[in-house]
Amino acid sequence: GQSLEQPSEVTAVEGAIVQINCTYQTSGFYGLSWYQQHDGGAPTFLSYNALDGLEETGRFSSFLSRSDSYGYLLLQELQMKDSASYFCAVGSQGGKLIFGQGTELSVKP
Amino acid sequence: DSGVTQTPKHLITATGQRVTLRCSPRSGDLSVYWYQQSLDQGLQFLIQYYNGEERAKGNILERFSAQQFPDLHSELNLSSLELGDSALYFCASSVEGGQRNTIYFGEGSWLTVV
């Protein structure tokens, strides 16, 4: 089976840096990805890591350590619009994508 | 706009009834996924189809069924509805098996069972 754990909520102030962690258990690993979902909206793809290391996309970076079954999403220069839920997801054979329970990020002024 | 179209956007129905949710994937995408998101819950994987064939199954109840048609659109059928089935149902699509774990979500269908 597959399971993912991430914090349920995180609060930070505008301009700060926040890290959202994700640990996973999976049989067959095909990468760790991150999705953003604003309230009631469609989740949208943010980043993907198949190999160990850091991937940077603008203000967002994502890290993966396969040996530790661990990854994180790093958001820099936080803006109010970054307030949303963030989901980590692991891929498995055949393209099945399993999501964590999500982390609600609140950015305060 | 992701290119994935879901209808209806909102639906209110009574317990015991049956509804059908429809999804048109992005042009060229062969895989369709269905997810359920209850209030303050994560995205629960229900089922995945690839080019008309069922590819993977998640926590889909026996009262629920889905299919993908030759034109690649998909339908999720929910029957004998219960109050607990009230949720946001997302369809997503990808080119093939979700390259780089990238799948594209529709705006969802809000189902309220009363």
Side-chain angles (χ1 to χ4, degrees):
Chain A
Q2 290 151 309
S3 66
L4 298 98
E5 284 197 22
Q6 51 182 127
S8 58
E9 53 186 40
V10 172
T11 301
V13 296
E14 232 178 338
I17 298 172
V18 72
Q19 178 173 314
I20 300 174
N21 298 320
C22 174
T23 57
Y24 60 87
Q25 285 186 319
T26 180
S27 51
F29 177 76
Y30 289 78
L32 181 73
S33 53
W34 291 90
Y35 283 73
Q36 178 192 59
Q37 183 185 32
H38 284 99
D39 216 19
T44 55
F45 172 81
L46 287 178
S47 68
Y48 170 74
N49 295 71
L51 303 175
D52 291 353
L54 193 68
E55 293 280 343
E56 297 181 65
T57 309
R59 294 188 297 114
F60 294 179
S61 303
S62 57
F63 172 81
L64 174 65
S65 168
R66 287 175 297 168
S67 60
D68 295 322
S69 297
Y70 162 77
Y72 65 72
L73 179 69
L74 191 73
L75 297 88
Q76 302 181 75
E77 301 172 19
L78 280 174
Q79 302 175 9
M80 297 297 289
K81 67 178 182 179
D82 297 329
S83 292
S85 292
Y86 293 84
F87 294 87
C88 58
V90 291
S92 65
Q93 191 171 6
K96 181 173 157 181
L97 198 58
I98 302 298
F99 286 78
Q101 289 295 99
T103 299
E104 186 174 348
L105 170 64
S106 297
V107 180
K108 307 293 186 188
Chain B
D1 183 4
S2 68
V4 178
T5 304
Q6 289 189 246
T7 57
K9 288 186 168 36
H10 299 273
L11 190 58
I12 301 175
T13 190
T15 54
Q17 295 299 303
R18 172 189 169 95
V19 299
T20 297
L21 309 180
R22 184 189 165 97
C23 170
S24 293
R26 293 187 323 154
S27 177
D29 284 359
L30 299 178
S31 269
V32 168
Y33 311 72
W34 286 98
Y35 288 86
Q36 179 193 56
Q37 186 174 39
S38 303
L39 194 62
D40 295 329
Q41 294 294 308
L43 292 154
Q44 300 294 320
F45 172 73
L46 296 178
I47 199 163
Q48 178 200 358
Y49 281 83
Y50 174 75
N51 203 20
E53 299 287 328
E54 183 184 303
R55 175 165 276 195
K57 216 169 197 177
N59 301 322
I60 187 166
L61 299 172
E62 285 191 13
R63 301 183 285 109
F64 296 0
S65 65
Q67 54 184 325
Q68 186 180 26
F69 295 86
D71 67 353
L72 302 177
H73 91 271
S74 178
E75 291 181 357
L76 179 67
N77 301 295
L78 315 174
S79 61
S80 303
L81 284 167
E82 301 175 0
L83 296 177
D85 297 326
S86 295
L88 182 53
Y89 290 85
F90 283 109
C91 170
S93 73
S94 66
V95 174
E96 177 181 348
Q99 293 175 1
R100 293 174 53 82
N101 286 6
T102 306
I103 65 175
Y104 298 87
F105 284 83
E107 294 298 315
S109 292
W110 284 95
L111 172 65
T112 302
V113 182
V114 298

